Amino acid sequence: MTISFLCKVVDNFGDIGVVYRLSKQIAEISPNNKINLIVDDLDSFNKICNEVKRNQDYQFVQKLHIFNWHSFDFCFNYFLKNDGEELETIIECFQCGRPDWMEQILFEKKLERTVKIIMLDYLTAEDYAETFHCMESLTRSKKVQKVNFMPGFTNKTGGLIIDNLWRDIKPRNPNGPILFFTYEKNFYPYFKALNKWFNENNIDRNVLVAQGKGKQSFMDCYKSLNKKEKFGLTELDFINQNEWDVMMQSCSILVIRGEESMARACLSGIPFVWNAYPQSEEYQLVKVQALLEKMRPYFSKDDFCIIEKFWILFNTKENDVSIEELEFSFFKFLKNSDKISYGFKDFSIALRKNGDLATNLMTYIEKNAIMLS
Protein backbone atom coordinates (compact mmCIF):
# COMPACT_ATOMS: atom_id res chain seq x y z
CA MET A 1 0.00 0.00 0.00
CA THR A 2 1.12 3.55 -0.73
CA ILE A 3 0.10 6.44 1.54
CA SER A 4 0.70 10.01 0.32
CA PHE A 5 0.71 12.92 2.79
CA LEU A 6 0.01 16.47 1.59
CA CYS A 7 1.40 19.38 3.60
CA LYS A 8 1.47 23.14 3.13
CA VAL A 9 3.66 24.97 5.62
CA VAL A 10 1.35 27.74 6.86
CA ASP A 11 2.30 28.65 10.41
CA ASN A 12 6.11 28.59 10.69
CA PHE A 13 6.95 24.94 11.37
CA GLY A 14 3.86 23.64 13.15
CA ASP A 15 2.18 22.06 10.13
CA ILE A 16 5.27 20.34 8.79
CA GLY A 17 6.27 19.38 12.34
CA VAL A 18 3.06 17.40 12.84
CA VAL A 19 3.09 15.83 9.36
CA TYR A 20 6.77 14.88 9.60
CA ARG A 21 6.21 13.29 13.01
CA LEU A 22 3.09 11.42 11.86
CA SER A 23 4.56 10.15 8.60
CA LYS A 24 7.70 8.93 10.39
CA GLN A 25 5.57 7.11 12.93
CA ILE A 26 3.49 5.42 10.23
CA ALA A 27 6.66 4.41 8.36
CA GLU A 28 7.90 2.79 11.56
CA ILE A 29 4.75 0.91 12.55
CA SER A 30 3.91 -0.23 8.99
CA PRO A 31 7.28 -0.83 7.26
CA ASN A 32 5.71 -2.76 4.36
CA ASN A 33 3.85 0.33 3.17
CA LYS A 34 5.37 3.11 1.07
CA ILE A 35 5.04 6.60 2.58
CA ASN A 36 5.11 9.65 0.30
CA LEU A 37 5.37 13.16 1.71
CA ILE A 38 4.42 16.00 -0.67
CA VAL A 39 5.52 19.35 0.82
CA ASP A 40 5.27 22.91 -0.51
CA ASP A 41 8.12 24.44 1.55
CA LEU A 42 11.30 22.39 1.69
CA ASP A 43 13.21 25.31 3.25
CA SER A 44 11.09 25.08 6.41
CA PHE A 45 11.24 21.28 6.34
CA ASN A 46 15.05 21.50 6.26
CA LYS A 47 15.02 23.50 9.52
CA ILE A 48 13.53 20.59 11.49
CA CYS A 49 15.10 17.78 9.42
CA ASN A 50 18.53 18.81 8.18
CA GLU A 51 18.77 15.84 5.80
CA VAL A 52 16.05 17.32 3.59
CA LYS A 53 17.50 19.22 0.62
CA ARG A 54 15.82 22.45 -0.36
CA ASN A 55 15.60 22.22 -4.17
CA GLN A 56 14.87 18.62 -5.10
CA ASP A 57 11.93 17.26 -7.09
CA TYR A 58 12.29 14.00 -5.17
CA GLN A 59 14.43 12.66 -2.31
CA PHE A 60 14.39 9.68 0.03
CA VAL A 61 14.96 10.62 3.69
CA GLN A 62 14.38 8.51 6.82
CA LYS A 63 12.17 5.97 5.01
CA LEU A 64 10.06 8.79 3.54
CA HIS A 65 9.69 9.50 -0.20
CA ILE A 66 9.65 13.32 -0.28
CA PHE A 67 8.27 15.26 -3.26
CA ASN A 68 8.30 18.97 -4.05
CA TRP A 69 4.66 20.13 -4.25
CA HIS A 70 5.64 22.71 -6.91
CA SER A 71 7.39 20.29 -9.32
CA PHE A 72 4.38 20.04 -11.64
CA ASP A 73 5.77 18.03 -14.56
CA PHE A 74 7.83 15.63 -12.45
CA CYS A 75 5.00 14.90 -9.98
CA PHE A 76 2.29 14.70 -12.67
CA ASN A 77 4.20 12.08 -14.66
CA TYR A 78 5.30 10.15 -11.56
CA PHE A 79 1.93 9.91 -9.85
CA LEU A 80 -0.09 9.30 -13.03
CA LYS A 81 1.67 6.01 -13.85
CA ASN A 82 -0.08 2.67 -13.31
CA ASP A 83 -3.52 4.25 -13.06
CA GLY A 84 -2.41 6.51 -10.21
CA GLU A 85 -1.45 3.65 -7.87
CA GLU A 86 0.72 6.03 -5.80
CA LEU A 87 -2.44 7.97 -4.92
CA GLU A 88 -4.59 5.13 -3.60
CA THR A 89 -4.62 6.71 -0.10
CA ILE A 90 -4.07 10.47 0.30
CA ILE A 91 -3.79 12.19 3.69
CA GLU A 92 -4.71 15.84 3.10
CA CYS A 93 -3.40 17.62 6.19
CA PHE A 94 -4.99 20.68 7.77
CA GLN A 95 -7.24 21.67 4.86
CA CYS A 96 -4.16 22.34 2.72
CA GLY A 97 -5.85 21.59 -0.59
CA ARG A 98 -4.22 19.57 -3.36
CA PRO A 99 -1.56 20.50 -5.96
CA ASP A 100 -2.83 21.34 -9.45
CA TRP A 101 -1.09 18.29 -10.92
CA MET A 102 -2.92 16.04 -8.45
CA GLU A 103 -6.29 17.63 -9.21
CA GLN A 104 -5.75 16.86 -12.90
CA ILE A 105 -4.88 13.24 -12.18
CA LEU A 106 -7.83 12.68 -9.84
CA PHE A 107 -10.57 14.48 -11.73
CA GLU A 108 -9.52 14.77 -15.39
CA LYS A 109 -7.66 11.54 -16.14
CA LYS A 110 -10.61 9.29 -15.19
CA LEU A 111 -8.72 6.80 -13.06
CA GLU A 112 -10.13 3.28 -12.87
CA ARG A 113 -9.03 2.80 -9.27
CA THR A 114 -10.85 4.19 -6.23
CA VAL A 115 -8.89 6.84 -4.32
CA LYS A 116 -9.43 7.52 -0.61
CA ILE A 117 -8.72 11.05 0.65
CA ILE A 118 -8.46 11.33 4.43
CA MET A 119 -8.82 14.90 5.65
CA LEU A 120 -6.58 15.12 8.72
CA ASP A 121 -7.77 18.18 10.63
CA TYR A 122 -6.11 20.45 13.17
CA LEU A 123 -5.92 19.27 16.75
CA THR A 124 -8.68 20.67 18.93
CA ALA A 125 -10.26 19.83 22.27
CA GLU A 126 -13.62 21.19 21.10
CA ASP A 127 -16.56 18.77 21.05
CA TYR A 128 -16.90 18.93 17.27
CA ALA A 129 -13.79 16.75 16.99
CA GLU A 130 -15.87 13.77 18.11
CA THR A 131 -18.77 14.72 15.83
CA PHE A 132 -16.69 14.97 12.65
CA HIS A 133 -14.30 12.08 13.32
CA CYS A 134 -14.62 9.51 10.47
CA MET A 135 -17.47 11.49 8.85
CA GLU A 136 -17.58 11.08 5.07
CA SER A 137 -18.15 13.89 2.55
CA LEU A 138 -18.69 14.16 -1.22
CA THR A 139 -16.23 14.96 -4.02
CA ARG A 140 -16.62 15.64 -7.74
CA SER A 141 -16.08 11.97 -8.59
CA LYS A 142 -17.51 8.71 -7.28
CA LYS A 143 -14.02 7.25 -7.64
CA VAL A 144 -12.61 9.78 -5.16
CA GLN A 145 -13.91 9.20 -1.64
CA LYS A 146 -13.28 11.63 1.22
CA VAL A 147 -13.49 11.25 5.00
CA ASN A 148 -12.53 13.40 8.02
CA PHE A 149 -10.06 12.12 10.60
CA MET A 150 -9.74 14.14 13.80
CA PRO A 151 -6.81 14.11 16.21
CA GLY A 152 -8.02 14.77 19.73
CA PHE A 153 -8.10 14.18 23.45
CA THR A 154 -10.77 11.49 23.83
CA ASN A 155 -11.27 7.89 22.73
CA LYS A 156 -13.91 9.10 20.25
CA THR A 157 -11.18 10.84 18.21
CA GLY A 158 -7.91 9.69 16.65
CA GLY A 159 -5.83 10.66 19.69
CA LEU A 160 -2.33 12.19 19.67
CA ILE A 161 0.89 11.04 18.01
CA ILE A 162 2.76 8.95 20.57
CA ASP A 163 6.12 8.21 18.95
CA ASN A 164 9.25 6.67 20.45
CA LEU A 165 10.42 9.51 22.69
CA TRP A 166 6.91 9.98 24.07
CA ARG A 167 5.81 6.41 24.79
CA ASP A 168 6.75 6.78 28.44
CA ILE A 169 6.45 9.79 30.74
CA LYS A 170 9.91 10.96 31.75
CA PRO A 171 10.40 12.01 35.40
CA ARG A 172 9.99 15.78 35.62
CA ASN A 173 13.12 17.76 36.44
CA PRO A 174 11.85 20.34 38.99
CA ASN A 175 15.07 22.32 38.59
CA GLY A 176 15.08 22.25 34.80
CA PRO A 177 14.90 25.29 32.53
CA ILE A 178 11.74 27.21 31.63
CA LEU A 179 10.93 27.25 27.92
CA PHE A 180 9.28 30.18 26.11
CA PHE A 181 7.98 29.40 22.61
CA THR A 182 5.13 31.84 21.97
CA TYR A 183 3.58 34.37 19.64
CA GLU A 184 4.40 38.08 19.89
CA LYS A 185 3.65 39.61 23.30
CA ASN A 186 4.63 42.27 25.79
CA PHE A 187 6.75 40.02 28.00
CA TYR A 188 7.47 42.55 30.71
CA PRO A 189 4.85 41.28 33.24
CA TYR A 190 6.11 37.72 32.79
CA PHE A 191 9.70 38.82 33.32
CA LYS A 192 8.67 40.64 36.51
CA ALA A 193 6.94 37.50 37.78
CA LEU A 194 9.99 35.38 37.00
CA ASN A 195 12.32 37.76 38.83
CA LYS A 196 10.04 37.91 41.84
CA TRP A 197 9.83 34.11 42.00
CA PHE A 198 13.56 33.65 41.51
CA ASN A 199 14.48 36.23 44.14
CA GLU A 200 11.94 35.27 46.80
CA ASN A 201 12.84 31.58 46.63
CA ASN A 202 16.56 31.90 45.82
CA ILE A 203 15.98 30.01 42.56
CA ASP A 204 18.64 29.83 39.85
CA ARG A 205 16.71 28.59 36.83
CA ASN A 206 17.74 29.11 33.21
CA VAL A 207 15.15 30.48 30.77
CA LEU A 208 15.14 29.26 27.15
CA VAL A 209 13.66 31.22 24.25
CA ALA A 210 12.99 29.35 21.02
CA GLN A 211 13.17 30.55 17.43
CA GLY A 212 9.88 31.61 15.88
CA LYS A 213 7.39 34.45 15.70
CA GLY A 214 7.58 35.53 19.32
CA LYS A 215 11.34 35.55 19.76
CA GLN A 216 11.98 39.12 18.58
CA SER A 217 9.46 40.69 20.95
CA PHE A 218 10.82 38.49 23.75
CA MET A 219 14.41 39.61 23.13
CA ASP A 220 13.46 43.28 22.69
CA CYS A 221 11.77 43.23 26.09
CA TYR A 222 14.63 41.34 27.72
CA LYS A 223 17.22 43.81 26.41
CA SER A 224 15.22 46.70 27.88
CA LEU A 225 15.57 45.30 31.43
CA ASN A 226 18.22 46.68 33.74
CA LYS A 227 20.96 44.43 35.10
CA LYS A 228 19.20 43.74 38.41
CA GLU A 229 16.08 42.50 36.62
CA LYS A 230 17.80 40.18 34.17
CA PHE A 231 17.96 36.43 34.61
CA GLY A 232 19.88 33.62 32.93
CA LEU A 233 18.71 33.34 29.32
CA THR A 234 19.66 31.05 26.44
CA GLU A 235 18.61 31.78 22.87
CA LEU A 236 18.02 28.44 21.16
CA ASP A 237 19.15 27.82 17.60
CA PHE A 238 16.92 25.99 15.14
CA ILE A 239 17.14 22.35 16.19
CA ASN A 240 15.82 19.17 14.64
CA GLN A 241 12.67 17.52 15.90
CA ASN A 242 14.33 14.85 18.06
CA GLU A 243 16.55 17.44 19.77
CA TRP A 244 13.47 19.62 20.37
CA ASP A 245 11.67 16.72 22.02
CA VAL A 246 14.59 15.96 24.34
CA MET A 247 14.94 19.65 25.22
CA MET A 248 11.23 19.94 26.08
CA GLN A 249 11.41 16.88 28.32
CA SER A 250 14.32 18.42 30.26
CA CYS A 251 12.28 21.51 31.26
CA SER A 252 10.46 22.20 34.52
CA ILE A 253 7.86 24.54 32.98
CA LEU A 254 6.72 25.02 29.37
CA VAL A 255 5.22 28.17 27.87
CA ILE A 256 4.41 27.00 24.37
CA ARG A 257 2.34 27.70 21.28
CA GLY A 258 0.96 25.86 18.29
CA GLU A 259 -0.46 22.38 17.81
CA GLU A 260 2.78 20.42 17.56
CA SER A 261 4.40 21.67 20.77
CA MET A 262 1.08 21.82 22.62
CA ALA A 263 0.50 18.12 21.92
CA ARG A 264 4.03 17.32 23.19
CA ALA A 265 3.40 19.40 26.31
CA CYS A 266 0.17 17.50 27.01
CA LEU A 267 2.09 14.22 26.82
CA SER A 268 5.06 15.47 28.86
CA GLY A 269 3.41 15.63 32.28
CA ILE A 270 5.21 18.97 32.78
CA PRO A 271 3.29 22.06 33.96
CA PHE A 272 2.64 24.15 30.85
CA VAL A 273 0.81 27.16 29.51
CA TRP A 274 -0.58 27.14 25.97
CA ASN A 275 -0.45 30.26 23.81
CA ALA A 276 -3.22 29.59 21.27
CA TYR A 277 -3.05 31.27 17.87
CA PRO A 278 -4.82 34.67 18.18
CA GLN A 279 -8.06 34.74 16.17
CA SER A 280 -10.78 37.25 15.35
CA GLU A 281 -13.32 37.93 18.10
CA GLU A 282 -10.90 36.13 20.46
CA TYR A 283 -12.05 32.71 19.30
CA GLN A 284 -8.75 31.37 20.65
CA LEU A 285 -10.33 31.58 24.11
CA VAL A 286 -12.93 29.00 23.04
CA LYS A 287 -10.11 26.62 22.07
CA VAL A 288 -8.21 27.32 25.28
CA GLN A 289 -11.28 26.75 27.44
CA ALA A 290 -12.04 23.51 25.60
CA LEU A 291 -8.59 22.14 26.42
CA LEU A 292 -8.88 23.32 30.00
CA GLU A 293 -12.13 21.38 30.34
CA LYS A 294 -10.35 18.21 29.23
CA MET A 295 -7.71 18.85 31.93
CA ARG A 296 -10.05 19.91 34.76
CA PRO A 297 -10.84 16.40 36.13
CA TYR A 298 -7.17 15.77 36.95
CA PHE A 299 -6.76 18.66 39.42
CA SER A 300 -8.25 19.74 42.69
CA LYS A 301 -10.63 22.71 42.41
CA ASP A 302 -8.18 25.19 43.99
CA ASP A 303 -5.19 24.02 41.94
CA PHE A 304 -7.14 24.13 38.70
CA CYS A 305 -8.26 27.66 39.46
CA ILE A 306 -4.60 28.77 39.37
CA ILE A 307 -4.09 27.19 35.96
CA GLU A 308 -7.36 28.32 34.41
CA LYS A 309 -6.96 31.92 35.59
CA PHE A 310 -3.51 32.33 34.05
CA TRP A 311 -4.30 30.48 30.81
CA ILE A 312 -7.29 32.73 30.13
CA LEU A 313 -5.41 35.93 30.96
CA PHE A 314 -2.40 34.81 28.91
CA ASN A 315 -4.59 34.31 25.83
CA THR A 316 -6.79 37.39 26.22
CA LYS A 317 -6.09 40.45 24.07
CA GLU A 318 -3.40 42.39 25.95
CA ASN A 319 -5.35 45.67 25.89
CA ASP A 320 -8.09 43.96 27.91
CA VAL A 321 -5.82 42.76 30.73
CA SER A 322 -3.77 44.77 33.20
CA ILE A 323 -0.03 44.21 33.54
CA GLU A 324 -0.53 43.73 37.27
CA GLU A 325 -3.07 40.93 36.67
CA LEU A 326 -0.72 39.13 34.30
CA GLU A 327 2.25 39.43 36.61
CA PHE A 328 0.37 38.20 39.68
CA SER A 329 -1.31 35.32 37.85
CA PHE A 330 1.95 34.09 36.30
CA PHE A 331 3.77 34.42 39.62
CA LYS A 332 1.08 32.28 41.28
CA PHE A 333 1.44 29.68 38.51
CA LEU A 334 5.23 29.61 38.94
CA LYS A 335 5.04 29.49 42.72
CA ASN A 336 2.70 26.49 42.63
CA SER A 337 4.27 24.70 39.65
CA ASP A 338 5.71 21.84 41.70
CA LYS A 339 2.48 21.44 43.67
CA ILE A 340 0.23 21.26 40.59
CA SER A 341 2.50 19.01 38.52
CA TYR A 342 0.55 15.90 39.61
CA GLY A 343 -2.46 16.92 37.51
CA PHE A 344 -0.40 17.45 34.35
CA LYS A 345 1.10 13.99 34.81
CA ASP A 346 -2.29 12.34 35.38
CA PHE A 347 -3.64 14.10 32.27
CA SER A 348 -0.75 12.77 30.18
CA ILE A 349 -1.34 9.23 31.46
CA ALA A 350 -5.02 9.45 30.47
CA LEU A 351 -4.14 10.68 26.95
CA ARG A 352 -1.99 7.63 26.29
CA LYS A 353 -5.02 5.41 26.93
CA ASN A 354 -6.63 6.85 23.77
CA GLY A 355 -3.93 5.21 21.67
CA ASP A 356 -1.46 6.57 19.14
CA LEU A 357 -2.84 8.70 16.28
CA ALA A 358 -0.62 6.94 13.72
CA THR A 359 -1.74 3.49 14.84
CA ASN A 360 -5.40 4.55 14.93
CA LEU A 361 -5.07 6.07 11.45
CA MET A 362 -3.40 2.95 10.00
CA THR A 363 -6.10 0.74 11.54
CA TYR A 364 -8.73 2.87 9.76
CA ILE A 365 -6.83 2.79 6.44
CA GLU A 366 -6.31 -0.98 6.53
CA LYS A 367 -9.94 -1.63 7.47
CA ASN A 368 -11.05 0.57 4.58
CA ALA A 369 -8.67 -1.20 2.17
CA ILE A 370 -10.25 -4.56 3.07
CA MET A 371 -13.73 -3.17 2.42
CA LEU A 372 -12.70 -1.82 -1.02
CA SER A 373 -10.93 -5.02 -2.10
Side-chain angles (χ1 to χ4, degrees):
M1 182 188 300
T2 301
I3 301 170
S4 297
F5 284 85
L6 299 178
C7 179
K8 270 190 172 182
V9 182
V10 177
D11 178 23
N12 267 1
F13 310 99
D15 294 346
I16 185 58
V18 175
V19 177
Y20 174 45
R21 188 184 297 279
L22 180 58
S23 57
K24 277 193 304 179
Q25 177 73 344
I26 286 183
E28 179 176 322
I29 65 176
S30 57
N32 294 328
N33 295 320
K34 181 181 179 184
I35 309 302
N36 296 327
L37 185 46
I38 302 162
V39 183
D40 80 323
D41 184 352
L42 296 176
D43 286 344
S44 291
F45 197 175
N46 167 266
K47 294 276 178 54
I48 63 170
C49 178
N50 305 136
E51 296 172 55
V52 172
K53 296 181 175 61
R54 293 180 168 89
N55 296 303
Q56 299 285 318
D57 293 332
Y58 165 82
Q59 52 196 299
F60 184 64
V61 177
Q62 297 180 9
K63 302 179 182 177
L64 303 175
H65 299 264
I66 300 172
F67 295 85
N68 188 333
W69 179 298
H70 302 292
S71 298
F72 187 102
D73 292 337
F74 178 85
C75 289
F76 181 82
N77 293 322
Y78 181 89
F79 285 93
L80 179 61
K81 64 186 180 183
N82 299 328
D83 192 39
E85 69 176 343
E86 296 273 333
L87 298 177
E88 59 184 328
T89 300
I90 299 168
I91 314 293
E92 187 176 323
C93 301
F94 315 129
Q95 304 166 31
C96 68
R98 296 178 289 274
D100 291 342
W101 54 263
M102 186 178 289
E103 288 289 280
Q104 285 194 26
I105 293 172
L106 293 179
F107 298 108
E108 295 178 23
K109 290 301 178 181
K110 306 300 181 186
L111 302 180
E112 290 299 318
R113 73 173 60 250
T114 298
V115 174
K116 191 77 170 185
I117 299 178
I118 298 175
M119 307 289 289
L120 184 74
D121 213 330
Y122 286 104
L123 174 64
T124 182
E126 293 168 273
D127 291 340
Y128 77 76
E130 293 184 354
T131 303
F132 286 100
H133 185 52
C134 293
M135 180 181 287
E136 296 184 355
S137 56
L138 299 174
T139 72
R140 289 181 283 145
S141 169
K142 290 181 179 179
K143 287 288 186 179
V144 181
Q145 301 177 356
K146 189 160 67 172
V147 66
N148 296 312
F149 205 88
M150 306 293 295
F153 299 90
T154 74
N155 59 11
K156 294 181 180 178
T157 66
L160 303 178
I161 307 168
I162 307 174
D163 43 351
N164 285 337
L165 279 170
W166 299 95
R167 292 221 169 93
D168 301 314
I169 303 171
K170 306 291 188 296
R172 174 176 174 257
N173 177 9
N175 299 312
I178 300 168
L179 172 66
F180 277 82
F181 177 51
T182 69
Y183 296 108
E184 297 91 340
K185 282 185 172 294
N186 171 15
F187 287 94
Y188 188 62
Y190 312 114
F191 291 171
K192 287 188 71 176
L194 281 168
N195 267 306
K196 182 178 179 182
W197 184 48
F198 290 162
N199 292 332
E200 284 189 6
N201 297 277
N202 196 26
I203 293 172
D204 184 16
R205 196 84 56 89
N206 194 27
V207 174
L208 311 177
V209 57
Q211 297 285 341
K213 288 185 175 181
K215 185 189 172 188
Q216 190 59 53
S217 59
F218 186 99
M219 293 308 303
D220 288 346
C221 189
Y222 182 76
K223 290 171 183 176
S224 72
L225 300 175
N226 63 46
K227 288 183 179 180
K228 290 183 180 179
E229 291 176 312
K230 286 186 177 177
F231 42 81
L233 176 67
T234 300
E235 298 179 57
L236 298 174
D237 295 324
F238 282 107
I239 55 180
N240 67 43
Q241 196 170 69
N242 279 356
E243 291 173 320
W244 177 260
D245 290 352
V246 172
M247 180 275 298
M248 282 187 71
Q249 291 172 340
S250 74
C251 293
S252 59
I253 296 170
L254 304 168
V255 184
I256 51 87
R257 69 169 177 86
E259 172 183 337
E260 163 72 345
S261 293
M262 181 265 276
R264 299 308 99 194
C266 288
L267 292 169
S268 72
I270 296 169
F272 76 96
V273 181
W274 179 40
N275 187 188
Y277 185 78
Q279 298 183 29
S280 60
E281 299 181 3
E282 294 205 277
Y283 188 75
Q284 74 274 8
L285 292 178
V286 175
K287 294 184 171 295
V288 168
Q289 193 64 58
L291 181 54
L292 284 168
E293 292 308 316
K294 295 295 186 292
M295 296 167 58
R296 186 186 297 272
Y298 303 96
F299 297 86
S300 72
K301 184 177 179 180
D302 289 344
D303 289 344
F304 189 75
C305 186
I306 295 168
I307 298 161
E308 184 176 34
K309 178 73 172 176
F310 180 56
W311 276 45
I312 297 299
L313 289 173
F314 189 69
N315 284 283
T316 299
K317 198 187 315 179
E318 288 185 334
N319 291 341
D320 295 337
V321 184
S322 73
I323 288 177
E324 291 75 19
E325 273 187 297
L326 286 169
E327 178 189 345
F328 177 76
S329 186
F330 188 37
F331 173 75
K332 197 168 181 181
F333 182 90
L334 294 168
K335 183 179 179 181
N336 288 279
S337 55
D338 290 343
K339 177 174 173 284
I340 62 179
S341 64
Y342 72 91
F344 289 96
K345 183 177 180 180
D346 289 348
F347 179 53
S348 70
I349 291 171
L351 291 174
R352 284 168 170 80
K353 294 177 182 177
N354 299 326
D356 163 43
L357 176 64
T359 302
N360 293 338
L361 179 57
M362 276 308 305
T363 299
Y364 176 84
I365 291 171
E366 289 166 353
K367 186 183 297 184
N368 182 73
I370 292 171
M371 291 171 62
L372 290 176
S373 62

